[in-house]
């Protein structure tokens, strides 16, 4: 009986501290629903943790801290350390199997780090020997091979921690629209690279089934785009799935309307372009609860007077959806001829493939925007824009791959 009472007291102390630590979030209008959505758990499970009838795991504590950091309400080190201590005490008092699992995982991580360190030392030794033994004619080839071997070993060992994809994308769909060739406007060859690499990121990173990623390359008519979005909306599960729509190509405004260029489009013939209002209505009518729209509208030469990022985000607003837009600039700023991708999409691809350094354990829409914004600021480029509808900023995208690196 005394042991049971100790269990209850430890759990209640932890739950009380957790509620206090979330007071700032709730005072700012945050809800249990939003937090549960961000953690990808049922709201009932969160309620039990906060009531003390169940004990939240240390991993959950880290996830909550990461989420609050993205909301601009980070925990201090003192608060987190106190919560972490209470968390371990509660699990220890209840003799939770979770402790054994965590200890085993820590030991496994330690052994893997040691194994990786030994491999690095061995490859470094081989590299030093090659430098001494190889004559100048063949030395560079040997160095290159050893570098490739080291890179492949590091990559292979960094993948073992990769968590499974999120359920919302396993049950979701994506439409990737790219217009790289134009009849009356400058071509943007890097857009084709955007689409190819994003398709890989959708299937390998987000975990979307290959059949659920619809690619629309160089559409000549509005119908091609609308049909792809219609099919994607029918493919994704309306309750558990998510929908992502990406467009890359020329864009401009006409009397406040956002116009997206198709293959035969011309700025002098507005009817030849895709009016984003039609896409806005179609996406807004979708029954999919989680929606992300990404617009990389590239401009060149005479397009210097087009709208800025704030205007673009406003023109593209859809209620209940997160819209992320590239800033408007010259082609040289957004699609340099010596770069593989357009600048804006290049930042997105790096975040999806490599993760966000120091970012949350799960990248959501707002964390992705913050990363692209920071990258643009560091390079002195125009900042991206965004429009948040409802809980659109909480839509989760994928586990942060940077967190899985050793």
């Amino acid at each position: 009986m005394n042991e049971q009472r100790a269990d209850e007291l430890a759990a209640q102390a932890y739950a009380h501290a957790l509620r206090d630590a979330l007071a700032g979030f709730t005072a700012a209008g945050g809800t249990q629903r939003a937090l549960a959505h961000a953690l990808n758990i049922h709201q009932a499970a969160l309620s039990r943790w906060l009531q003390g009838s169940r004990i939240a795991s240390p991993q959950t504590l880290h996830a909550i801290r990461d989420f609050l950091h993205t909301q601009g309400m980070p925990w201090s080190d003192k608060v987190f350390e106190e919560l972490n201590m209470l968390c371990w005490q509660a699990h220890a008092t209840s003799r939770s199997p979770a402790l054994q699992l965590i200890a085993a995982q820590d030991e496994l991580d330690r052994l893997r780090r040691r194994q990786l360190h030994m491999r690095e030392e061995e490859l470094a030794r081989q590299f030093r020997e090659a430098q001494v033994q190889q004559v100048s004619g063949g030395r560079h080839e040997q160095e290159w091979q050893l570098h490739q071997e080291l890179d492949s070993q590091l990559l292979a060992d960094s993948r073992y921690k990769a968590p499974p994809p999120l359920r919302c994308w396993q049950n979701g769909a994506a439409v990737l629209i790219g217009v790289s060739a134009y009849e009356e406007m400058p071509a943007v060859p890097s857009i084709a690279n955007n689409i190819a690499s994003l398709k890989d990121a959708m299937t390998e990173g987000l975990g979307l089934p290959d059949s659920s990623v619809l690619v629309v390359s160089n559409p000549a008519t509005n119908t091609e785009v609308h049909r792809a979005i219609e099919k994607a909306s029918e493919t994704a599960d309306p309750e558990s799935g998510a929908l992502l729509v990406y467009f890359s190509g020329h864009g401009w405004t006409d009397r406040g309307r956002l116009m997206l260029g198709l293959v035969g489009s011309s700025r002098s013939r507005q009817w030849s372009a895709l009016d984003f209002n039609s896409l806005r209505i179609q996406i807004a009518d979708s029954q999919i609860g989680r929606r992300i729209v990404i617009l990389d509208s590239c401009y060149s030469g005479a397009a210097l007077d087009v709208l800025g990022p704030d205007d673009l985000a406003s023109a593209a607003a859809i209620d209940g959806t997160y819209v992320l837009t590239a800033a408007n600039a010259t082609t040289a700023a957004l699609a340099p001829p010596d770069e593989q991708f357009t600048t804006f999409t290049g930042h997105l691809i790096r975040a999806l493939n490599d993760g966000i350094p120091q970012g949350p354990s799960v990248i959501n829409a707002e964390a992705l925007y913050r990363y692209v914004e920071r990258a643009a600021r560091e390079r002195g480029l125009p900042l991206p824009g965004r429009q948040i509808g409802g809980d659109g900023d909480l839509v989760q995208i994928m586990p942060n791959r940077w967190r899985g690196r050793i």
Side-chain angles (χ1 to χ4, degrees):
M1 183 66 68
N2 290 336
E3 290 183 355
Q4 181 179 359
R5 180 59 178 167
D7 294 352
E8 295 174 354
L9 290 174
Q12 289 296 332
Y14 177 34
H16 179 75
L18 187 57
R19 291 195 300 270
D20 285 346
L22 289 170
F25 172 68
T26 55
T31 63
Q32 285 191 24
R33 174 180 173 273
L35 181 56
H37 182 76
L39 298 177
N40 201 26
I41 61 173
H42 290 292
Q43 187 173 339
L46 178 61
S47 296
R48 287 194 290 269
W49 291 341
L50 296 176
Q51 293 167 2
S53 59
R54 292 289 187 274
I55 305 173
S57 68
Q59 293 91 336
T60 298
L61 200 60
H62 282 270
I64 294 175
R65 180 185 64 171
D66 293 338
F67 168 70
L68 292 178
H69 181 78
T70 65
Q71 302 302 302
M73 293 177 282
W75 280 337
S76 67
D77 291 340
K78 180 179 179 181
V79 169
F80 182 72
E81 288 172 4
E82 179 181 357
L83 283 170
N84 199 43
M85 178 189 67
L86 291 171
C87 175
W88 283 95
Q89 286 179 352
H91 280 285
T93 304
S94 64
R95 298 174 298 282
S96 168
L99 287 179
Q100 301 176 23
L101 179 62
I102 293 170
Q105 184 63 52
D106 288 344
E107 178 64 15
L108 181 61
D109 290 347
R110 186 189 67 79
L111 292 174
R112 282 170 168 162
R113 285 194 295 270
R114 175 58 181 164
Q115 183 183 36
L116 177 61
H117 179 68
M118 293 174 64
R119 288 180 181 177
E120 288 177 333
E121 288 184 338
E122 175 61 21
L123 289 170
R125 183 189 63 77
Q126 294 179 20
F127 180 73
R128 289 193 297 270
E129 290 180 355
Q131 285 183 309
V132 174
Q133 296 174 4
Q134 292 293 322
V135 296
S136 59
R139 184 177 61 196
H140 294 301
E141 178 65 22
Q142 180 72 10
E143 290 177 354
W144 181 84
Q145 291 177 353
L146 287 171
H147 273 302
Q148 290 294 102
E149 184 179 356
L150 177 58
D151 288 344
S152 64
Q153 290 285 358
L154 291 174
L155 181 59
D157 284 312
S158 68
R159 283 177 177 162
Y160 77 90
K161 284 187 176 181
L166 302 176
R167 182 165 173 258
C168 65
W169 294 111
Q170 289 179 314
N171 298 336
V175 180
L176 307 178
I177 309 156
V179 189
S180 58
Y182 290 89
E183 295 175 357
E184 300 186 37
M185 291 188 287
V188 189
S190 55
I191 290 178
N193 298 330
N194 290 355
I195 299 298
S197 293
L198 279 176
K199 186 176 189 299
D200 290 339
M202 294 295 107
T203 55
E204 298 176 10
L206 274 68
L208 280 157
D210 187 73
S211 59
S212 298
V213 182
L214 309 179
V215 174
V216 185
S217 295
N218 295 321
T221 65
N222 298 346
T223 302
E224 295 177 58
V225 177
H226 286 297
R227 282 180 174 169
I229 295 177
E230 180 182 37
K231 183 177 179 180
S233 297
E234 294 172 348
T235 299
D237 184 271
E239 294 294 332
S240 63
L243 174 65
L244 183 146
V245 177
Y246 168 91
F247 173 87
S248 184
H250 287 296
W252 62 92
T253 54
D254 175 55
R255 294 182 289 257
R257 296 179 302 160
L258 176 61
M259 312 301 294
L260 304 176
L262 304 175
V263 170
S265 295
S266 169
R267 286 174 60 106
S268 62
R269 300 192 307 275
Q270 303 302 332
W271 51 265
S272 65
L274 174 61
D275 188 338
F276 187 79
N277 277 333
S278 61
L279 288 188
R280 182 211 309 274
I281 294 171
Q282 184 180 18
I283 296 172
D285 286 345
S286 169
Q287 299 302 309
I288 311 300
R290 304 172 182 87
R291 297 171 297 199
I292 295 178
V293 178
I294 301 176
L295 301 175
D296 186 355
S297 295
C298 303
Y299 303 95
S300 61
L304 291 175
D305 60 343
V306 297
L307 74 171
D310 292 337
D311 300 321
L312 180 56
S314 178
I318 306 174
D319 186 37
T321 302
Y322 195 92
V323 181
L324 177 60
T325 63
N328 305 280
T330 64
T331 299
L334 286 180
D338 58 341
E339 291 191 9
Q340 183 179 6
F341 309 111
T342 62
T343 304
F344 171 74
T345 297
H347 294 321
L348 296 179
I349 291 171
R350 278 186 286 276
L352 298 178
N353 289 346
D354 302 331
I356 298 177
Q358 308 300 328
S361 56
V362 176
I363 298 173
N364 61 20
E366 182 68 8
L368 182 62
Y369 165 77
R370 293 295 182 187
Y371 171 81
V372 176
E373 180 190 43
R374 183 170 64 252
R377 193 184 303 277
E378 290 174 353
R379 296 183 63 180
L381 300 174
L383 302 181
R386 78 189 189 283
Q387 183 75 35
I388 305 172
D391 291 335
D393 56 325
L394 302 181
V395 176
Q396 296 182 326
I397 298 176
M398 64 180 294
N400 188 355
R401 289 189 167 187
W402 179 84
R403 290 264 178 171
R405 304 289 182 190
I406 297 180

